[in-house]
């Protein structure tokens, strides 16, 4: 057996990556996240391709949300949480002191499991971020609100009730509003942590359709415990188990012909 130095080895279990794959938009390099002494993400190396949809799957507690939240530094506020290795976005480590977290979170937006609109009007929810960025002109705000709601496939349903409280919307509409709120500050990357797990099947389909529409314009990284969803919406899939990246590669290949036995056991429902 040829002894290849670790830095030159291909990432574990990487399969089916074609040569026309776009460049990585975010890249983890031997990246770990610790909660105190618990290493929740363990020396993970992988790249999320620009403009593509990447899914992170794996059983509950395997570190999916921890890895996702690290990308826009949402773990910063958790006492005892620290990282090792690198998480590179735009050629800079997101944990570098040079990085302004507010700017980072504008460029890398996040959508959570439970829709969390502010108890404000639909308009004010979407205008919230742009206003924080200093946009004051009424006409400009109205334009951003309309564009963002259109992109989030919600405009038609709410255009006549922009002054209504967002909490009066259905769960699925609220989640699309939260996506519009993120889009309003013109991000490059969308992080989604189980964005449909609180929604009914119809609302779930609408979000999945929306992800397909946004694909290409944004780099989308979605955590899901629903393997059918990962198979439906993503180009590439990362399978995490107990903090380790077991396998990462082309979604179709991961689901039809995984190269690691553990992945096969998981996707065929033998555990997790
Ligand atoms: N805020 C936290 N403080 C301490 N430990 C945490 C925290 N969040 C998650 N963990 C631990 O990190 C591990 C990974 O959790 P998580 O990333 O939430 O997994 P997943 O999203 O895959 O279900 C688990 O062992 C969990 O208990
Ligand atoms: Mg989670």
């Amino acid at each position: 057996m040829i002894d290849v130095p670790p830095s030159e080895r291909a990432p574990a279990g990487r399969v089916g990556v074609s040569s026309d794959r776009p460049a990585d938009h975010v890249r983890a390099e031997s990246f770990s996240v610790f909660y105190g002494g618990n290493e929740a993400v363990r020396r993970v190396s992988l790249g999320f391709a620009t403009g593509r949809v990447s899914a992170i799957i794996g059983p509950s507690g395997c570190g999916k949300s921890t890895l996702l939240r690290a990308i826009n530094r949402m773990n910063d506020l958790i006492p005892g949480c620290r990282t090792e290795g690198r998480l590179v976005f735009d050629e800079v480590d997101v944990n570098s002191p040079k990085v302004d977290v507010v700017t980072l979170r504008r460029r890398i937006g996040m959508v959570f499991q439970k829709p969390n609109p502010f108890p404000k009007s639909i308009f004010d929810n979407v205008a919230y971020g742009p206003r924080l960025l200093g946009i004051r002109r009424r006409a400009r705000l109205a334009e951003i609100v309309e564009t963002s709601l259109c992109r989030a496939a919600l405009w038609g349903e709410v255009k006549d009730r922009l002054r209504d409280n967002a909490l009066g919307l259905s769960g699925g509409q609220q989640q699309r509003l939260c996506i519009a709120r993120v889009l309003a500050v013109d991000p490059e990357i969308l992080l989604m942590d189980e964005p449909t797990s609180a929604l009914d099947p119809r609302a779930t389909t609408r979000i999945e359709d929306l992800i397909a529409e946004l694909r290409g314009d944004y780099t989308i990284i979605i955590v899901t415990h629903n393997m059918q969803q990962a198979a439906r919406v993503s180009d590439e899939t990362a399978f995490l188990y107990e903090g380790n990246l077991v396998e990462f590669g082309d979604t179709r290949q991961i689901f039809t012909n995984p190269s690691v036995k553990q992945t096969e056991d998981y996707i065929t429902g033998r555990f997790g």
Side-chain angles (χ1 to χ4, degrees), residues 35 38 40 58-67 69 78 223:
Y35 297 106
N38 174 23
S60 181
C62 71
K64 303 181 295 294
S65 296
T66 300
L67 175 60
R69 288 197 309 254
I78 301 172
V223 163

Side-chain angles (χ1 to χ4, degrees), residues 33-36 38-41 56-69 75 78-79 81 193-194 223 240 243:
V33 183
F34 298 81
Y35 297 106
N38 174 23
E39 191 174 3
V41 170
I56 304 175
I57 63 168
S60 181
C62 71
K64 303 181 295 294
S65 296
T66 300
L67 175 60
L68 193 76
R69 288 197 309 254
N75 297 323
I78 301 172
C81 186
D193 194 349
E194 308 209 12
V223 163
L240 284 185

Side-chain angles (χ1 to χ4, degrees), residues 5 27 45-46 51 57 72 74 76 93 118 122 125 168-169 173 179 193 197 200 209 231 240 252 269:
R27 196 169 64 247
S45 297
L46 85 170
I57 63 168
N72 71 348
M74 296 291 282
D76 280 18
D93 189 334
F118 304 125
I122 294 166
N125 264 275
L169 296 171
Q173 289 173 325
I179 293 170
D193 194 349
S197 63
D200 64 35
D209 290 348
L240 284 185
R252 220 167 324 146

